[in-house]
Amino acid sequence: MKKFKFNFFKKPQVILVLLTLICAGTIWLSSMNQSVSAPLRTVAGIFVVPLQRGMNQIGTWFSEKNQERISLKDALSQNEQLQKQVAELQAEQAQHANDDDEISRLRQLLNLKETYNAYPTVGATVIMKNSGNNWYRKFMIDKGTNDGLDVDMNVIATAGLVGIITDIGPNYAIVTSIIDEESKVSGMLRKTLDTCIVAGDMSAIQDGKLRLEYMSNNFNSDVDNTVVTSNVSEKFLPGIVIGKAVDVMLEDNKVTKTGYLIPAVDFEHLKDVLVITTKKQTLSDEELEKIQEQLIEPSTSEDEVKETKPETSTEPSSEETTKPTEEESTQPQTSASESSSEASSEQQKEEQSSQASSAQSNGDESSESPVADSIQADFQAVPDEE
Amino acid sequence: MKRLRQVIVIMIVLLLGFFIQINFAQFIPSLSCVPNIMLIIVFSLGFLRGPKVGMAVGVAAGLFMDFVQGNIVGFYVLIFVYIGFINGVLKRYFISNVILLPLILCTINEILYHGAMYLFQFRKQAVHTATGYLRHVVIPEYLVTLIAAVVVYGMVLLIHRKLEKIEKKGETRFV
C-alpha cells in the first residue's frame, strides 16, 4: 500500500498538479507580501548579480568597440563633449525657467520651492536592460538594500525621471521605467500646475514618446510645455522633470486633452542613474504640515526657516557624499518609529529644512537652486564617490 | 550519479542561456527585441527527455526569469512548468527531426507562452491593446526566436545525444 502511494506521487500528472498549487500559492503570497521571495533574492544576489555585472562590463566593452567601428574616434569624443555641454545647458535652462516662475509667483510658493529643491541621492549603474524579455520595460541596477535603498524610491538621470524601484534584493534593485505599459505617473505642467497622467504605451515608444492623458482643457502649447511630477502623486516626489508635451488635442468628451510626451531621458542609452533615497510616503506628513503652515501663516514659517539657517551654517560643511548616507540612515528610522506625534514632525521638519539649506550651502550655487541644478551637482559628485 | 550528471549539465545549459538572453541586446545593439532562449531550452529539453525532466527544467528556468522580473515569484515558473509538461507528453508521438521540428515546436510554444503572458496582464484595456501587443511584442519576438530556435535546439540535441551515449555506455559496462 505504501509503495503504491509513493509511485502514485511520481506520476508526472500528479507532480504537475502539485507544482501548479505550489506556484499559485507563491504567486498569491508574494503579491501580498514581498518578504516571501526573500530567499530567492538572496540566492540570486549571491550567484547571478556578480556574474551579470561582469557580463555587463564585457557588453559595454563590446558596444563601445562597435561604436568605434562605426564612427571615428574624434567624432566620438566630440560627441561626448557636446553631450556634456547639452546636459549643462539643459540644467541651466531649467534653473532659469524656475527663476522666472519664482519671480511671478506668490511668496507662499517661494517657500514651497525650498522644501523640495535638494533630494539626497545615491548613484547606481544599470547592469541589465529590459530584463531579458519584451513584455516589460524594467531594468536592474547594482545597488540594493545593503546600500540603503528600498522599494518605491524614485530613480532619475541627469535630464529627468527614469522610473521607480519595484523590487529589491541585497545587492541589486529592479526599476520599472516610466515607458513600461503598467507605469502611470501623475504629472503637472511646470508653468500652470495643471495635472495630467503620463502613461507608457507600446506603440508610442516606437516613436520615442509616451502617452499624455487627462490634461486640462486650457493647455496652451505656446507657453512652456515642460511636464514635471506633481504634488498629488502617491509615489513620485514632486518637481522632477518628465519631459515635454507635444501634439495635444481635445478629446471627444470635450473636457480633457490627450497627447504625447517626449521624455527628457534617453532610454536607449541609459547607463548611470541616481536613486533618490527620500520616499514620497515618508515625506508627505511633514511636507503637508509645512505647506499648510505656509498657507495659513507665511511670516512665522519664514522666521522658522531663517532661524534654522544660521544654525546649519555653523555646521562643518561636510561633503555631499557623506550627507546622503547620513540622511538615509536617520530619516527612515525617525519616520518609522515616530509616526504622528507633533514633536517628532517638528524635528523632521527641522531636519528637512536644515538638510535643504545645508545642501544649498554645500552646493554653493544660488540660494534657490532648482531640482535639475542640484541633480547636476550630485551627478558630478558621483565619480568622486567611486 | 546519472542524475547528478544530468542536473549539472542542464544547469550549465540554463545558466548559459539565461546570460545570453539577458545580455543579447548589448552584443547585437541593432536588435529591437530579444529571442526567448529560456523558452527554447525548456521546450526542447522537455520534448527530448520527457515530462518530468521538462517540468524540472521549467521550474529552474522559471525561477531565473522570476528573479529578473521582480515582485511575484512563481509567475514564470507556472508558465514554464506547463510548457515543459506539454512538450514532454508530446515526446511519445513525434520523432525528432532537426530542421522542421524546432520551427513547429517553437510556433506552438510561442503561442502558448504569449497567450499565457497576455492573459496574465489583467488590464481592462487588454482587448484594445491586443493588436498592439501582437504587432510590437509578439511578432518580432516570434521571428527572432524562430531563428534562434534552430540554433539552440541543435545544440540541446547534441548535448542530449551525448548524455544518452554516456548513460548507455555505463549500462552496457555493468552487464
Side-chain angles (χ1 to χ4, degrees):
Chain A
M1 197 61 183
K2 205 175 181 185
K3 208 176 181 185
F4 171 69
K5 268 198 176 166
F6 188 55
N7 278 338
F8 174 73
F9 276 117
K10 277 190 176 173
K11 274 192 174 178
Q13 293 91 337
V14 179
I15 299 181
L16 180 72
V17 171
L18 277 174
L19 277 174
T20 313
L21 288 172
I22 295 175
C23 285
T26 53
I27 290 177
W28 181 62
L29 279 176
S30 57
S31 63
M32 299 206 305
N33 184 3
Q34 291 246 339
S35 62
V36 168
S37 35
L40 176 67
R41 292 204 192 101
T42 37
V43 167
I46 297 171
F47 289 116
V48 183
V49 175
L51 280 174
Q52 175 56 25
R53 274 201 229 178
M55 296 224 49
N56 189 56
Q57 285 179 356
I58 299 176
T60 45
W61 183 79
F62 262 109
S63 59
E64 275 168 18
K65 279 276 175 270
N66 196 25
Q67 269 186 345
E68 279 176 18
R69 205 167 46 83
I70 293 174
S71 61
L72 300 166
K73 266 190 186 174
D74 297 345
L76 199 64
S77 61
Q78 196 185 35
N79 191 21
E80 274 184 37
Q81 274 180 11
L82 286 173
Q83 277 179 357
K84 266 191 210 163
Q85 230 179 20
V86 167
E88 280 171 8
L89 286 172
Q90 277 177 346
E92 237 188 275
Q93 189 207 17
Q95 179 186 358
H96 287 316
N98 269 336
D99 284 340
D100 285 343
D101 291 347
E102 282 163 354
I103 289 169
S104 62
R105 286 258 169 92
L106 302 171
R107 197 170 239 198
Q108 293 154 2
L109 285 172
L110 189 72
N111 288 334
L112 201 74
K113 271 270 178 274
E114 285 186 2
T115 60
Y116 51 80
N117 58 2
Y119 296 119
T121 56
V122 171
T125 326
V126 173
I127 55 175
M128 176 165 60
K129 281 195 219 150
N130 281 347
S131 68
N133 69 0
N134 306 305
W135 282 81
Y136 302 112
R137 300 293 188 131
K138 308 186 186 185
F139 56 89
M140 187 186 282
I141 59 176
D142 61 350
K143 296 259 163 84
T145 52
N146 292 347
D147 308 286
L149 302 185
D150 197 6
V151 183
D152 283 344
M153 286 189 176
N154 308 149
V155 179
I156 59 179
T158 47
L161 183 69
V162 166
I164 195 167
I165 296 184
T166 47
D167 191 39
I168 198 156
N171 55 350
Y172 70 92
I174 294 181
V175 180
T176 302
S177 77
I178 56 176
I179 62 180
D180 189 274
E181 270 275 320
E182 297 177 345
S183 131
K184 282 192 187 335
V185 182
S186 167
M188 66 180 181
L189 287 172
R190 179 158 54 188
K191 262 250 176 305
T192 60
L193 301 188
D194 290 327
T195 55
C196 54
I197 301 271
V198 176
D201 186 283
M202 227 171 357
S203 37
I205 198 60
Q206 307 290 330
D207 309 321
K209 298 180 187 166
L210 301 167
R211 214 173 51 235
L212 191 68
E213 298 173 322
Y214 303 114
M215 173 69 77
S216 123
N217 207 354
N218 42 4
F219 169 75
N220 189 359
S221 55
D222 299 333
V223 195
D224 175 41
N225 52 2
T226 314
V227 178
V228 301
T229 50
S230 74
N231 305 349
V232 299
S233 167
E234 198 185 283
K235 296 190 176 179
F236 287 96
L237 293 163
I240 308 175
V241 173
I242 308 179
K244 275 198 171 337
V246 293
D247 293 342
V248 180
M249 309 224 235
L250 198 59
E251 271 282 306
D252 291 337
N253 57 16
K254 304 261 192 274
V255 177
T256 57
K257 288 194 175 178
T258 306
Y260 291 101
L261 179 132
I262 298 183
V265 177
D266 180 11
F267 284 96
E268 286 292 306
H269 304 108
L270 209 56
K271 226 179 78 148
D272 293 300
V273 295
L274 294 168
V275 184
I276 299 181
T277 48
T278 328
K279 290 210 282 193
K280 179 75 192 283
Q281 289 94 329
T282 59
L283 194 57
S284 57
D285 291 341
E286 61 219 37
E287 194 187 48
L288 276 175
E289 288 207 25
K290 189 154 190 182
I291 294 169
Q292 279 192 347
E293 269 208 359
Q294 285 156 4
L295 287 175
I296 296 173
E297 295 175 280
S299 53
T300 52
S301 63
E302 214 187 0
D303 290 337
E304 200 184 72
V305 170
K306 281 190 183 150
E307 267 178 276
T308 53
K309 262 195 177 168
E311 282 177 22
T312 55
S313 59
T314 57
E315 268 181 27
S317 53
S318 48
E319 298 157 354
E320 274 180 277
T321 55
T322 57
K323 254 294 172 182
T325 52
E326 226 181 289
E327 283 148 355
E328 278 166 41
S329 52
T330 54
Q331 264 197 353
Q333 283 176 16
T334 52
S335 57
S337 53
E338 305 142 341
S339 50
S340 57
S341 53
E342 231 179 301
S344 66
S345 65
E346 277 183 4
Q347 180 191 9
Q348 284 175 7
K349 260 189 294 180
E350 280 186 17
E351 267 190 43
Q352 185 67 18
S353 51
S354 71
Q355 150 202 331
S357 43
S358 62
Q360 289 173 25
S361 60
N362 282 339
D364 217 22
E365 269 107 351
S366 64
S367 57
E368 285 93 26
S369 49
V371 177
D373 204 23
S374 62
I375 290 171
Q376 184 70 9
D378 284 334
F379 185 70
Q380 280 165 1
V382 166
D384 300 339
E385 224 178 59
E386 292 172 359
Chain B
M1 195 54 205
K2 165 179 126 175
R3 200 168 273 185
L4 186 63
R5 189 187 299 127
Q6 193 180 18
V7 165
I8 291 178
V9 167
I10 292 181
M11 279 311 262
I12 294 176
V13 169
L14 273 173
L15 270 173
L16 269 178
F18 179 61
F19 279 113
I20 292 178
Q21 181 174 343
I22 291 179
N23 293 306
F24 203 82
Q26 277 182 336
F27 293 112
I28 306 183
S30 53
L31 212 55
S32 67
C33 66
V34 184
N36 205 340
I37 297 183
M38 295 303 266
L39 179 72
I40 301 173
I41 293 179
V42 170
F43 79 63
S44 46
L45 275 173
F47 184 81
L48 290 172
R49 306 211 108 204
K52 275 201 260 182
V53 175
M55 285 199 283
V57 176
V59 167
L63 283 175
F64 273 122
M65 296 300 280
D66 270 339
F67 147 68
V68 144
Q69 174 249 129
N71 260 335
I72 304 183
V73 177
F75 180 60
Y76 278 102
V77 179
L78 199 60
I79 298 177
F80 280 146
V81 159
Y82 269 89
I83 288 183
F85 178 74
I86 291 174
N87 281 287
V89 167
L90 286 179
K91 174 190 175 183
R92 269 207 227 164
Y93 304 104
F94 295 97
I95 307 173
S96 70
N97 185 355
V98 181
I99 299 291
L100 197 58
L101 188 74
L103 301 180
I104 299 177
L105 272 185
C106 183
T107 313
I108 301 175
N109 286 298
E110 281 271 316
I111 294 175
L112 285 172
Y113 171 76
H114 285 295
M117 290 292 290
Y118 176 70
L119 278 176
F120 279 130
Q121 299 300 317
F122 288 140
R123 250 176 256 135
K124 62 179 194 256
Q125 294 177 317
V127 183
H128 300 288
T129 56
T131 48
Y133 277 127
L134 262 179
R135 246 180 63 203
H136 294 114
V137 178
V138 179
I139 301 284
E141 186 181 315
Y142 170 59
L143 292 172
V144 184
T145 314
L146 261 185
I147 302 174
V150 182
V151 176
V152 180
Y153 182 80
M155 293 203 282
V156 172
L157 192 62
L158 277 173
I159 296 175
H160 166 70
R161 295 250 169 91
K162 200 120 205 217
L163 268 179
E164 267 187 346
K165 214 192 282 185
I166 296 178
E167 287 161 15
K168 283 220 171 99
K169 215 197 265 188
E171 278 172 25
T172 50
R173 255 203 192 164
F174 240 107
V175 171

